[in-house]
Amino acid sequence: MSGFQRLDKVLANMGYGSRKDVKKMIKSGAVEVEDIVVLDPEMKIDPEVQSVKVNGRKVDYKKYIYLMLNKPKGVITATEDRRLRTVLDLIDEEYLRFIPSPVGRLDKDTEGLLLLTNDGMLNHNLTSPRKHVDKEYYAEILGKVGIKDIEAFNEGVVLDDGYKTMPAELKILEAAPVSKVIVKIKEGKFHQVKRMFEAVDKKVIYLKRLSMGNLKLDEGLRPGEYRELTNQEVEDLKSLI
Ligand code: URA
């Protein structure tokens, strides 16, 4: 969605109706580009540079969309699936138009912060294994978590496939038969947190992502709810990479 595009396409993408509706609207004289009425739906414009008005009101053009979802259990981190509900099934059409993708993935049974965006560069940078963006999780663990586990995580643990993880921070909130902990990791290996606890003979029974880099889950969002990131949150994320 950048550079010169057809006027009807820009307006359809911004939610002013189907291409057909928009063409009709343009031909009726309702649309101005740089304060001049345009009757040609195929006119090429640069919406980032040129001002567009519909019925005298300025169109607030956006190229990128950034959404923070509190992912609920039971939906998969994918853009489509023939059988299972995906995180995109939770997003309204007004945002789907931007074709957002999940940034990284959470397991089907994991809850919490999932960023969705069509900003491919930011997505790539946040998930690049070379960038080591921190991911923080709240977890409930079957088994009493103790100092030995903190030390093991600090060292990095060896996963079932022989891979030794980078050092991770483990904070115990409650040590009990079902322990409550906060884990901070710098990587995003498949099922990483669950496999790290398996490596110390324990089992994750609940997992929720709290933050990614400097972006924190808005606790006002109930599972399944989402909101756009503020400009400040987008800037903060971009400053990370
Ligand atoms: N680690 C996991 O095991 N699962 C997730 O969903 C995220 C991190």
Side-chain angles (χ1 to χ4, degrees):
M1 282 201 227
S2 67
F4 281 88
Q5 301 170 59
R6 284 172 54 140
L7 181 58
D8 57 354
K9 182 169 176 230
V10 171
L11 291 174
N13 284 341
M14 295 304 298
Y16 283 88
S18 65
R19 278 276 190 110
K20 201 168 146 206
D21 297 336
V22 166
K23 270 188 188 144
K24 230 182 186 165
M25 188 170 81
I26 295 170
K27 286 183 179 161
S28 78
V31 178
E32 292 163 67
V33 176
E34 298 289 330
D35 296 323
I36 294 168
V37 172
V38 170
L39 298 173
D40 177 8
E42 292 182 25
M43 179 179 164
K44 291 270 175 42
I45 62 149
D46 184 342
E48 282 187 79
V49 177
Q50 291 169 289
S51 95
V52 179
K53 287 183 188 158
V54 173
N55 295 320
R57 296 183 65 174
K58 199 165 180 317
V59 171
D60 182 18
Y61 179 77
K62 274 192 287 212
K63 181 173 174 187
Y64 294 124
I65 193 80
Y66 303 89
L67 301 174
M68 169 193 297
L69 168 70
N70 184 355
K71 180 192 168 298
K73 278 184 189 167
V75 298
I76 60 166
T77 309
T79 50
E80 55 180 36
D81 192 274
R82 270 193 286 154
R83 286 181 309 114
L84 302 169
R85 272 207 328 151
T86 74
V87 288
L88 287 189
D89 292 327
L90 302 168
I91 308 298
D92 292 328
E93 182 52 39
E94 69 174 294
Y95 297 113
L96 290 180
R97 265 201 314 277
F98 290 85
I99 324 203
S101 301
V103 178
R105 66 181 295 283
L106 292 177
D107 297 336
K108 188 176 170 196
D109 59 353
T110 302
E111 293 183 2
L113 176 65
L114 186 68
L115 178 63
L116 297 147
T117 184
N118 59 343
D119 181 341
M121 186 64 92
L122 185 74
N123 192 336
H124 173 78
N125 282 328
L126 287 175
T127 51
S128 162
R130 275 178 288 122
K131 302 280 181 181
H132 306 310
V133 172
D134 285 337
K135 269 93 45 186
E136 191 173 45
Y137 296 85
Y138 166 79
E140 294 181 3
I141 311 295
L142 204 55
K144 196 165 173 184
V145 178
I147 186 84
K148 282 219 159 65
D149 300 316
I150 294 179
E151 286 166 0
F153 275 44
N154 262 331
E155 267 290 300
V157 297
V158 178
L159 301 181
D160 47 9
D161 58 1
Y163 174 77
K164 184 166 183 207
T165 69
M166 291 178 69
E169 260 178 66
L170 177 59
K171 211 189 305 171
I172 302 173
L173 303 176
E174 203 176 308
V178 173
S179 302
K180 296 181 176 158
V181 301
I182 302 281
V183 198
K184 200 192 272 185
I185 59 174
K186 290 182 179 300
E187 302 160 286
K189 303 276 173 216
F190 185 62
H191 294 332
Q192 179 155 344
V193 174
K194 292 174 185 161
R195 289 163 71 212
M196 287 180 80
F197 278 98
E198 275 164 25
V200 293
D201 296 321
K202 296 184 178 64
K203 187 172 165 55
V204 173
I205 55 170
Y206 175 79
L207 191 60
K208 175 179 179 179
R209 182 151 67 193
L210 304 176
S211 67
M212 183 173 200
N214 48 24
L215 182 67
K216 289 191 168 41
L217 176 67
D218 180 340
E219 291 289 347
L221 295 172
R222 284 174 303 192
E225 290 183 341
Y226 64 93
R227 67 158 170 83
E228 278 190 66
L229 261 55
T230 63
N231 291 339
Q232 188 62 53
E233 284 170 330
V234 174
E235 264 178 49
D236 289 348
L237 269 182
K238 287 185 175 168
S239 75
L240 267 186
I241 43 176

